[in-house]
Amino acid sequence: MEMKDKIDIAGVGRHIGESVTFGCWLTRRRSSGKIQFLQLRDGTGFIQGVLVKEEVSEQVWEEASRLTQESSLYVTGVVREDPRSPSGFELSVTGVEIIQISHDYPITPKEHGVDFLMDNRHLWLRAPRQRAILRIRAQIISAIQGFFDQRGFTLVDPPILTPSSAEGTTELFHIKYFDEDAYLTQSGQLYMEAAAMALGKVYSFGPTFRAEKSKTRRHLIEFWMIEPEMAFVDHEESLRVQEQFVSHVVSCVLESCKPELETLGRDVAALERVKPPFPRITYDEAIVMLKELGMELPWGEDFGAPHETALAEKFDRPMFITHYPSAIKAFYMKPDPNRPDVVLCADMIAPEGYGEIVGGSQRIDDPALLEERFKEHELSQEAYQWYLDLRRYGTVPHSGFGLGLERTVAWICGLDHVRETIAFPRMLYRLYP
Ligand code: 4AD
Ligand code: MG
């Protein structure tokens, strides 16, 4: 079979009435004795193949009869329009060339437990639902890059192996770097600050790691983060970028991924409401609202998932919680000049119980204050000399944020767990496959 002769299922609409050939897998076969129905997929789409016994050769009929779930084949047939089928097309099969008959495919149409499916993640990816999620994830990534590329941001790649921490020392993955100690990056932010001083507006997109012993539906050990960093941009301006950014991503998915959202049964009305401006409340206001909801919390404590969910339920789109107490936030956040016990920061909380998807802040630009923070947080002055240099040589106000890709995918797809948002999730008790 020559490559040039083959088409993709996604492209069958351009070949109505023509004879075409494509490589595919069989997902299911039904036979009435006189007619066989083959459910076929090639990764780009799905189509039903139909064989009428009286109309095909005995050999083609026999070959089709041998096909089992996940057998691979080249199929030839004539494309017909069929308004009743989900794809809009059907294939009148005239030829079947078996590549391999598959035996005992582990994932059958019956219900399987999540652990079993995760053990077979390498095969589970073939399911229409998993395919739809990965397609949406790819579209989200493309929308993210499009947003920043069109606005004069430069993509910069921070290192993955780092000598020190960016987001606190308790969640670091330690590794040996020859004779030195090194850590897998928790966030590229500190490096992106250096890049912003060189290129003005920058963003990174890469894997980050948290050795967090959290086993929740929102936590991964390895997750992908988008981290924009902007020179001469204050907290307020950064919030405006964030709401435009997230709205852009959602609208791109609504535009480009209709069939995938439908496969997932996603309520798109909730997504259509995602438009700026996003509501904002301060940490102080959140504490008051929580008290009214019967979830009293002493001032100074951090919110947990139930608090975030309860607050988000008050709004119909993503919302910001701003001005957290500095004691519960990272060392680099700039204190509010009017009220130094809180910082110029915000978490963006997704609606529908998906929790924090963005964390961001204005950064400390005063070298003396930064040095003070190193002491308070017991961070080695030596390890952060380069970071201090950014405040020594032409310091400027600057802000940035990090969007967690998997939580964003979970929210946009309407999934109950982040484990399905990435092809091979790394979780507390899962490193295989
Ligand atoms: O709030 P975080 O820890 O912020 C930072 O790392 C900053 N340095 C970002 C910056 O300002 N450049 O993480 C940012 C986002 C969170 O809002 C969340 O969406 C996601 O990253 N995230 C996780 N996603 C999955 N699993 C985890 N364990 C996550 N931890 C954070
Ligand atoms: Mg955070």
Side-chain angles (χ1 to χ4, degrees), residues 29-45:
R29 192 178 68 84
R30 281 187 301 124
S31 177
S32 73
K34 288 184 191 140
I35 300 185
Q36 292 189 59
F37 297 100
L38 313 179
Q39 305 302 330
L40 305 169
R41 63 168 190 92
D42 73 343
T44 75

Side-chain angles (χ1 to χ4, degrees), residues 329 347 356 358-359:
K329 286 292 182 188
D347 284 355
E356 180 200 329
V358 179

Side-chain angles (χ1 to χ4, degrees), residues 5-237:
D5 293 328
K6 294 196 293 287
I7 64 148
D8 290 332
I9 293 179
V12 290
R14 292 192 295 275
H15 298 277
I16 297 162
E18 293 171 25
S19 177
V20 298
T21 298
F22 52 85
C24 58
W25 293 267
L26 180 103
T27 53
R28 203 170 345 154
R29 192 178 68 84
R30 281 187 301 124
S31 177
S32 73
K34 288 184 191 140
I35 300 185
Q36 292 189 59
F37 297 100
L38 313 179
Q39 305 302 330
L40 305 169
R41 63 168 190 92
D42 73 343
T44 75
F46 305 88
I47 194 167
Q48 171 167 273
V50 184
L51 286 89
V52 180
K53 192 168 186 182
E54 285 178 357
E55 292 171 8
V56 296
S57 72
E58 199 167 317
Q59 195 225 345
V60 170
W61 181 264
E62 289 308 319
E63 289 292 274
S65 309
R66 290 173 58 212
L67 293 170
T68 53
Q69 187 188 0
E70 290 308 306
S71 288
S72 46
L73 64 146
Y74 292 109
V75 68
T76 300
V78 179
V79 178
R80 310 236 182 258
E81 265 186 296
D82 179 14
R84 288 162 308 166
S85 95
S87 70
F89 304 100
E90 204 175 63
L91 191 75
S92 297
V93 176
T94 56
V96 169
E97 183 188 327
I98 293 171
I99 303 172
Q100 186 192 45
I101 294 293
S102 160
H103 295 289
D104 305 321
Y105 186 67
I107 305 177
T108 56
K110 70 162 198 189
E111 283 278 315
H112 295 285
V114 165
D115 277 335
F116 176 84
L117 291 170
M118 289 308 285
D119 286 340
N120 287 285
R121 183 66 178 161
H122 52 296
L123 303 175
W124 190 23
L125 293 180
R126 302 180 186 191
R129 191 182 143 78
Q130 300 306 316
R131 174 183 176 278
I133 296 167
L134 291 181
R135 296 270 303 171
I136 293 174
R137 178 187 169 104
Q139 180 57 47
I140 290 174
I141 293 170
S142 155
I144 287 168
Q145 294 180 329
F147 181 87
F148 291 112
D149 291 345
Q150 284 155 24
R151 282 166 182 77
F153 286 66
T154 301
L155 174 67
V156 174
D157 304 311
I160 289 171
L161 298 173
T162 62
S164 49
S165 91
E167 287 294 318
T169 48
T170 52
E171 306 167 353
L172 280 174
F173 255 111
H174 177 242
I175 52 165
K176 265 337 250 184
Y177 190 81
F178 306 108
D179 294 333
E180 284 181 71
D181 287 313
Y183 308 95
L184 297 181
T185 183
Q186 295 170 301
S187 154
Q189 179 197 319
L190 308 193
Y191 295 99
M192 296 311 288
E193 289 182 55
M197 301 309 143
L199 295 142
K201 288 182 185 166
V202 292
Y203 74 101
S204 65
F205 173 54
T208 50
F209 306 85
R210 305 273 166 106
E212 217 171 334
K213 297 242 155 121
S214 302
K215 194 177 178 260
T216 79
R217 60 198 191 87
R218 295 172 181 182
H219 284 90
L220 290 170
I221 302 302
E222 176 181 307
F223 66 97
W224 287 64
M225 193 158 36
I226 292 81
E227 295 190 89
E229 195 68 34
M230 302 162 284
F232 310 106
V233 165
D234 66 16
H235 171 62
E236 183 60 33
E237 293 166 317

